[in-house]
Structure formats: C-alpha cells, structure tokens
Amino acid sequence: MSHVPAELKYSKEHEWVKVEGNQARIGITDFAQDELGDIVFVELPEVGTEVRANETFGSVESVKTVSDLFAPVSGKIVQVNGALQDSPELVNSAPYEDGWMIVVEMSDPGELDALLDAAAYTAHTAE
Amino acid sequence: MSTAWKWPEDIAVEWIDDIHRPQYNNDLDPALGRAVAAGERPPLIRVWRAARQEGIAVSRKDVATEGGQAAQRQLEAEGLQVVVRQTGGTAVPQGEGVVHVSYLFPRTSAKVTTDDYYRALCTPLMAWLQGHGCNASTGELRGSYCDGKYNILVDGRKLVGTAQAWRGGLAGVRSARPGYVLAHASIVVDVDMAVATERINHFYELAGNPYRVELQTSTTLRACAPAWLVGQSAAEAADTVVRDLMGFYEQWLQTAKR
C-alpha cells in the first residue's frame, strides 16, 4: 500500500504538488517510485527554466529503465533539489520530503484545479 | 509475462541504420519512437548495426558530471566514438562488430511492466541463440559491462546487454499521454573484448568513477557459435547477423500472434 499524504495534490501521471503560496514543490509519488524501482539518476533542468504543464521537464533513471518526468503546472523553476545529484535514492526513501525535485513559481495557479486530491489519486492508482 | 501483456498489432521489422554517423545512428531510436507514438509508423522492431568507428555507448548519467564529460572528450581525442544513448545503465562496446535490436512500441493503457518488455525482448533473442547452438539464459553477472537482471548470458558469460526507456510518462504506470517504450538489446557479434573492456574502464577511470568491468565476464557471438560466421570480417558478420535476425523476427512474430 503506497503512502498518499492528504495535504498534497496529484497528477494522474503520478507527480505530486505541494502548494506553498504561489509556488509548487513537485516530486513523484510513493506509488511511482515503487513501480520504478531503485533510482540511480535524476536529470533536472536549471533554475530559471520555464516549464509548461503536461510537458517534460527531466528524466529519472532506475535500475530498470529511463522515464520522462512531466510538469503538473506551468511556471519558472526557482529551486532544484541538488541533493539528488549525489543521492538519487532519496526519491525512493523519502519521495514526499527529501526526494522532492523542483519548485516552480506558478504562472497559472488555476492549473491546480485540474489535479487530484488524495482520495481521488488513491482511487486512480487502484484502477 | 503478465496477463496484461500483448504484442502490438502489425509490428514492422526493419533494418534501419547509418553506420557512418554514430550519434545520429543512435538518435534514430527516439526519432522513430516519436513517429510510432504519433501513429505515423507502425510498432517497430528495428535491427541495426553500430557505426563503424570503434568506441563505447554511454548513458546520460555517465556524462552528467564534469568528470564524465572530460572522459568523453578525452576518448574522442583518442579517436574513439562516445555515443550517448537514450537508455540507462553503463558503457557498452561499440564498433562494426556490434548489432542492436530496438523495440519501439507505442505506450499502452494496459498494466504492463518493465519486466514484460524485458521478457518480450529476451525470450526471442534466447530462442534465436539456441537456434545457433548457444546455451542462453538471463541473469545478473557481477563485473559485466552494463550489468542487469536481463543480461543474456551464454554459458554464464555476457553476450547481450539490455535496457529500456519509457517516453510519455513514468515507466510501469498507465499514461494518458502519447508515448513509446524503447526496449533495446546490444549484441556483441565480433569485438576484441580485451580492448573494449580496457576502453570502458579507461572511460570510468578518466571520469573519476570507481566502476570497473571484468574481461572474463564477457563473450562474443563468434566465440559462442564458432561454426557460424566463419571467414567473415566483423563488419560482414554484423551484416549476416542483421539479415538472420530479420528473418527470425518475421517468423517469431507469426508464432507469437498465434
């Protein structure tokens, strides 16, 4: 049973969003990291890069495969989790805490309305 | 394979390569994958030769650090190609005696896993190798180049490396976005593995990475099937293997659909 914190929002593509004022902290869910297996590399853009909702912003490599990462909201990246460069396994061990990936200054907070709450995301993963 | 796994309909088997442009040859995989994802091409099994220039293929992780980028520049200054591939893992040999197989299948809404794609990649390749008298199996092999659970081993030594890339969303989960799955196998047909191993270790030494490969873990198709490919150069042997694999997959897919 994967962990789904109640206070976060989720995309159907298994990214989570923590809203902090006009900023969105973004990572991948516990369900997703479990499906991926041991993560060995996370490729993220630089601070200042513009991202658009539903477009790729990086990639994650596990021992099984490389996958695209998609942005759940649009805006400018204001923080990147540099700790993942040396410790990508944080995505496995603490996906909602030390395993966060980027913080985006949202250009359209209305995009949050399209995301799922914890109950809806839990139902989505059970489908 | 899981009960959700199904081979895509109407898979094309094609020989598509450009042996004179190493990085472009490798980048044909994502270009073809995007066309498959967009429905502009049918699902594809691409059989292809590595470029003629000797060298190694590395992952993006390998060249993400300054050390890795310096190692790449140094090997290239030594006249070797360093191709950066789409899939993960560590360095694998490249050169005229290497043949690749790439599955480029559209993402499906079915609950399929990376294991499903690895099995779909390895099962026919092992049958093909058995047909040439090779005792093939899958498994990890400590010290082998680009080690993984789905190495194809012959008599316990690594002959084929495998890897994947999922585009259009995370791997192993359903995605509403268009995308494709690349499942890739690299077959060492005829390569001097002593030299290739030294090159791989040289790259990681230059990169400041303690990872090393052990020569005794690897083998070649020429060594595994000594009665085949007799009298052929490495390039000729690669051509022969590509043609043989094309015919094999055409037949295999007929059986798989039944």
Side-chain angles (χ1 to χ4, degrees):
Chain A
M1 194 72 171
S2 61
H3 180 210
V4 184
E7 69 276 19
L8 305 182
K9 289 184 171 292
Y10 301 88
S11 72
K12 286 187 176 178
E13 315 298 342
H14 309 279
E15 295 98 9
W16 58 260
V17 174
K18 183 178 184 185
V19 180
E20 299 168 341
N22 198 46
Q23 296 186 345
R25 189 173 298 269
I26 294 165
I28 65 169
T29 66
D30 188 36
F31 176 84
Q33 68 78 22
D34 189 54
E35 292 290 323
L36 289 172
D38 293 343
I39 290 167
V40 296
F41 179 57
V42 183
E43 186 174 35
L44 298 173
E46 293 180 358
V47 168
T49 304
E50 295 279 350
V51 296
R52 291 176 61 86
N54 295 312
E55 291 188 3
T56 184
F57 70 88
S59 66
V60 58
E61 179 184 341
S62 72
V63 293
K64 299 174 182 176
T65 185
V66 173
S67 313
D68 286 334
L69 294 165
F70 280 80
V73 292
S74 305
K76 182 184 281 188
I77 296 177
V78 293
Q79 287 185 60
V80 171
N81 188 353
L84 298 182
Q85 189 170 345
D86 292 330
S87 304
E89 67 279 6
L90 290 171
V91 178
N92 293 117
S93 61
Y96 301 112
E97 291 135 8
D98 293 343
W100 65 274
M101 293 176 174
I102 56 174
V103 176
V104 171
E105 183 75 30
M106 291 183 282
S107 57
D108 180 6
E111 290 172 338
L112 293 168
D113 295 339
L115 301 178
L116 307 175
D117 63 18
Y121 179 69
T122 301
H124 173 64
T125 58
E127 284 173 7
Chain B
M1 280 180 267
S2 71
T3 53
W5 170 263
K6 274 178 65 179
W7 287 89
E9 294 292 322
D10 302 322
I11 297 171
V13 180
E14 296 186 41
W15 178 351
I16 304 171
D17 61 26
D18 183 339
I19 58 174
H20 301 295
R21 291 191 286 173
Q23 189 62 55
Y24 173 76
N25 197 26
N26 188 77
D27 290 345
L28 283 170
D29 269 351
L32 292 164
R34 286 191 292 272
V36 168
E40 296 163 2
R41 294 187 68 105
L44 177 64
I45 295 179
R46 176 191 177 207
V47 187
W48 51 293
R49 299 165 298 174
R52 288 289 169 87
Q53 189 185 354
E54 299 290 315
I56 59 175
V58 300
S59 68
R60 295 178 67 83
K61 171 176 82 264
D62 284 325
V63 291
T65 62
E66 285 184 16
Q69 290 157 22
Q72 179 181 14
R73 287 193 297 272
Q74 179 60 36
L75 261 67
E76 287 171 348
E78 293 171 12
L80 299 170
Q81 58 159 302
V82 180
V83 170
V84 181
R85 62 176 190 264
Q86 292 291 307
T87 55
T90 55
V92 300
Q94 291 294 278
E96 61 185 4
V98 175
V99 168
H100 300 277
V101 176
S102 296
Y103 288 8
L104 293 153
F105 293 169
R107 288 191 73 141
T108 166
S109 58
K111 183 72 181 85
V112 290
T113 65
T114 53
D115 283 340
D116 288 325
Y117 282 93
Y118 277 120
R119 290 181 193 122
L121 183 66
C122 292
T123 301
L125 279 173
M126 287 195 294
W128 173 71
L129 288 166
Q130 300 282 6
H132 287 289
C134 302
N135 175 30
S137 60
T138 55
E140 292 181 36
L141 181 60
R142 196 182 185 91
S144 65
Y145 61 86
C146 200
D147 189 22
K149 181 179 172 185
Y150 290 98
N151 294 323
I152 297 181
L153 313 174
V154 173
D155 294 327
R157 299 178 78 169
K158 180 162 180 170
L159 177 65
V160 181
T162 61
Q164 291 181 23
W166 291 49
R167 298 304 182 196
L170 294 169
V173 297
R174 290 178 225 192
S175 174
R177 298 187 183 102
Y180 66 91
V181 177
L182 163 62
H184 171 242
S186 179
I187 307 167
V188 176
V189 175
D190 186 9
V191 170
D192 183 333
M193 284 307 298
V195 173
T197 301
E198 193 174 298
R199 281 179 187 147
I200 291 170
N201 287 339
H202 182 43
F203 173 84
Y204 288 110
E205 185 178 14
L206 288 168
N209 184 329
Y211 172 79
R212 295 292 181 271
V213 170
E214 296 168 13
L215 172 60
Q216 72 275 13
T217 59
S218 62
T219 188
T220 66
L221 186 57
R222 187 184 289 286
C224 295
W228 194 29
L229 311 172
V230 173
Q232 297 184 27
S233 68
E236 291 166 343
D239 286 3
T240 299
V241 166
V242 168
R243 288 193 183 89
D244 196 63
L245 275 168
M246 298 275 295
F248 172 82
Y249 276 114
E250 295 285 3
Q251 285 207 324
W252 174 270
L253 289 171
Q254 294 300 320
T255 309
K257 283 174 189 165
R258 289 199 297 271

